[in-house]
Amino acid sequence: NEVSGAAIDWGENTGSSFHSLRVLRVDGTLRPLPDADEPTLELALYEVLSASARRDENAPKGFVLTGEIAPERVNATLRDFDVRSWLPGAAPTSIRPLLADLAIEGSVSEIGFSLEGAELERVSAVAQLDDVAVTLPLSQDDEPGEGLRLSRSSGSIRIEQRQLVANLRGDLADVPLEVDFQADVSDLLEGRGAESNMPYTARIVIDKFSFGQQSRVLPFLPADTREVLARFADQNQIGAISPSAEVAAEVNLSGRLAGGAGGFGSAVLQTYRGIVRIDRCATAFYEFPYQFENVTGTIEFNQDRLIIRSLSGVAESGAVLSASGLVKPLRAAAGFDLEVEVFDMPID
């Protein structure tokens, strides 16, 4: 059952009309599976490139489509998928705004999708990403934001049971991190994006890295938390953490996507909690600007309070710093209940 010079008309069928999105030229095989429980066709097709594309070393090499087709189900895998030539124009209309907001750039190594039901109405899909740039609808603060843009990302993004789920590892500015994101996109898929109120949750894990005074990850910590952390700063640059510091963090967020012109719209942060671990930090406490080295400690925070579990360090003179305490509420008029102790400090 060889297929040669065939055309696949990829489009949307509304029941009363068909709208073509893209015509694909393919070769390959299409054969029945004799041992299947229901009439099933197995397909293995690959894209036939134009002569000019075959001569162009930089052109995509063409996709490979494999899978099975049965009366009430389609399961398929698309490999070597060229994002530039497909998205968003060849995507189903209902998810184009979503894909436009994700703004995927790079190589999608594999897309698996399934359609089930009498009218193939139950759709799920998963994309395996490899070295791509992608934007997740996460705000930087409790105000609407433009999203979190990751570069050099790998992992997966899937749509299943009206949930958008992303499990990615990539770089935020100069910081490597992992992101697990989930949002209910029912309203978006049903065309109610502008009136939607889609809840989301996210978990961001930042591996231990050298912070650097110019690191751009600070804006993606909640503003109140940044303000308190700035009280532990380099003596010569209050508001910064020393370049030698090694920092690891985990932040859990929840909020809502306020809807837009069919896309995610504005992401509004509602609750958050997290933990920051600091090691080998050279710093000074704002109210006591005396330089300490090798400061280590743990800071926990949420939208209501910040808890300094422990901070300790040693000055060049041999003085020992120990700090712990509570900051609540996290507002402009925050209340500080801190215990900062310094031992063995020489008196000049």
Side-chain angles (χ1 to χ4, degrees), residues 227-235 238-239 283-292 308 321 323 327 334-340 342:
E227 181 180 346
V228 175
L229 287 177
R231 288 177 173 264
F232 293 88
D234 187 285
Q235 186 177 11
I238 297 298
T283 189
F285 184 48
Y286 190 91
E287 281 80 357
F288 189 76
Y290 189 80
Q291 190 77 14
F292 288 86
I308 301 174
L321 166 74
V327 182
F336 283 76
D337 183 9
L338 302 179
E339 182 177 343
V340 180
V342 179

Side-chain angles (χ1 to χ4, degrees), residues 138-160:
L138 293 173
S139 60
Q140 299 182 26
D141 275 314
D142 54 358
E143 297 295 332
E146 297 181 356
L148 185 151
R149 184 70 172 172
L150 297 179
S151 61
R152 294 188 289 275
S153 301
S154 299
S156 66
I157 296 177
R158 67 182 187 273
I159 298 176
E160 188 173 34

Side-chain angles (χ1 to χ4, degrees), residues 140-278:
Q140 299 182 26
D141 275 314
D142 54 358
E143 297 295 332
E146 297 181 356
L148 185 151
R149 184 70 172 172
L150 297 179
S151 61
R152 294 188 289 275
S153 301
S154 299
S156 66
I157 296 177
R158 67 182 187 273
I159 298 176
E160 188 173 34
Q161 297 180 346
R162 300 185 176 275
Q163 299 285 314
L164 174 72
V165 181
N167 305 108
L168 300 171
R169 182 176 183 87
D171 291 349
L172 170 61
D174 53 348
V175 178
L177 50 77
E178 296 180 10
V179 181
D180 297 319
F181 173 85
Q182 182 168 341
D184 183 341
V185 292
S186 300
D187 288 348
L188 191 60
L189 296 177
E190 294 172 5
R192 299 193 302 271
E195 297 81 28
S196 65
N197 187 14
M198 299 173 283
Y200 76 83
T201 60
R203 174 176 174 266
I204 302 174
V205 177
I206 302 174
D207 295 331
K208 183 177 288 188
F209 70 102
S210 295
F211 208 101
Q213 289 182 343
Q214 303 304 317
S215 174
R216 288 175 288 169
V217 76
L218 268 179
F220 287 89
L221 290 176
D224 296 325
T225 303
R226 296 199 308 267
E227 181 180 346
V228 175
L229 287 177
R231 288 177 173 264
F232 293 88
D234 187 285
Q235 186 177 11
N236 298 316
Q237 188 175 346
I238 297 298
I241 296 178
S242 68
S244 62
E246 290 187 346
V247 177
E250 178 177 333
V251 184
N252 292 274
L253 312 169
S254 65
R256 60 184 177 86
L257 307 176
F264 289 125
S266 298
V268 180
L269 178 64
Q270 294 177 317
T271 66
Y272 60 86
R273 59 183 174 84
I275 184 170
V276 176
R277 297 180 178 88
I278 300 172

Side-chain angles (χ1 to χ4, degrees), residues 290-309:
Y290 189 80
Q291 190 77 14
F292 288 86
E293 306 289 337
N294 296 320
V295 175
T296 63
T298 300
I299 298 173
E300 299 176 7
F301 60 88
N302 58 30
Q303 66 274 9
D304 299 317
R305 66 182 63 192
L306 182 146
I307 303 172
I308 301 174
R309 292 295 181 191

